[in-house]
Amino acid sequence: DELGIKTDLDFRSSVIDKETGKNELHGITSSPLGSSVRWVNAQIGSYKGLFGSTTGFKKAFDTFLDEANYPIVFHCAAGQDRTGVVAFLLNAILGVDEEELIKDWEVTAFWNGSVDFCHVNLDKFYETLATKANGGETVQEQAVNAVLNMGYTMADVAKFRSLMLEPAEEPAAMPAALVISEVCARCQ
């Protein structure tokens, strides 16, 4: 309650319980953040898996498109693979610079013992993103195209951006008299 989180977006996949045979998510049926927090399980594959079945990502993106869900916390089991892929894609849609996207990606690997994690898996994701985007010169354009190819519209992209980004401040207009006096001062 202290943070005001309204939605817990969980990307973990369910498993078949060996004893019951039921498809369960480790017994989780609600958010551990409390009963006032809406729990959404949007099962997402990592890297190429994100686009294998877009059902999980679409459920996640739909969650982000609903203003009533904010603030949202999103995670998987370790916050690296599925969470990293979704964060990368969402940040790319928001226009984050590619170098910053890569830095953010690599920071998630500090705990991972595999030296190949960062670049090998990022390369796999880039390849898949380029294929699913079906065009786009920048990673930001590819991210938008990938979402459009999932059935979303530019209006949906614009709505997501408006929910996530603060409006740009317009520069204050200079009074006409000040501008004229500056020009006159330069001429003398």
Side-chain angles (χ1 to χ4, degrees), residues 2-134:
E2 192 174 317
L3 297 175
I5 302 295
K6 289 186 181 176
T7 305
D8 177 352
L9 187 53
D10 188 341
F11 301 143
R12 291 177 289 183
S13 299
S14 57
V15 294
I16 304 295
D17 185 289
K18 291 179 182 178
E19 291 179 23
T20 65
K22 291 181 180 179
N23 195 7
E24 295 182 354
L25 184 61
H26 312 287
I28 299 170
T29 57
S30 63
S31 174
L33 299 175
S35 59
S36 64
V37 177
R38 179 175 175 242
W39 180 68
V40 177
N41 182 228
Q43 298 181 27
I44 292 176
S46 57
Y47 316 114
K48 292 181 179 182
L50 174 69
F51 299 110
S53 168
T54 58
T55 305
F57 181 79
K58 289 173 91 172
K59 191 172 185 179
F61 199 62
D62 287 343
T63 301
F64 279 103
L65 289 175
D66 185 349
E67 189 172 0
N69 291 324
Y70 286 84
I72 300 170
V73 62
F74 65 97
H75 62 90
C76 56
Q80 175 179 304
D81 303 311
R82 294 164 283 199
T83 302
V85 168
V86 172
F88 187 99
L89 192 59
L90 295 177
N91 281 321
I93 291 168
L94 294 173
V96 172
D97 179 71
E98 186 170 6
E99 185 176 327
E100 292 301 316
L101 292 169
I102 293 169
K103 284 179 188 176
D104 185 59
W105 177 277
E106 290 184 347
V107 165
T108 66
F110 285 144
W111 72 272
N112 190 321
S114 170
V115 290
D116 290 333
F117 166 76
C118 295
H119 300 292
V120 172
N121 290 330
L122 182 59
D123 289 344
K124 289 178 192 175
F125 178 64
Y126 264 108
E127 289 170 17
T128 307
L129 177 60
T131 301
K132 296 299 179 180
N134 201 16

Side-chain angles (χ1 to χ4, degrees), residues 172-186:
M174 279 191 155
L178 181 61
V179 174
I180 292 170
S181 67
E182 285 181 357
V183 171
C184 292
R186 290 184 192 142

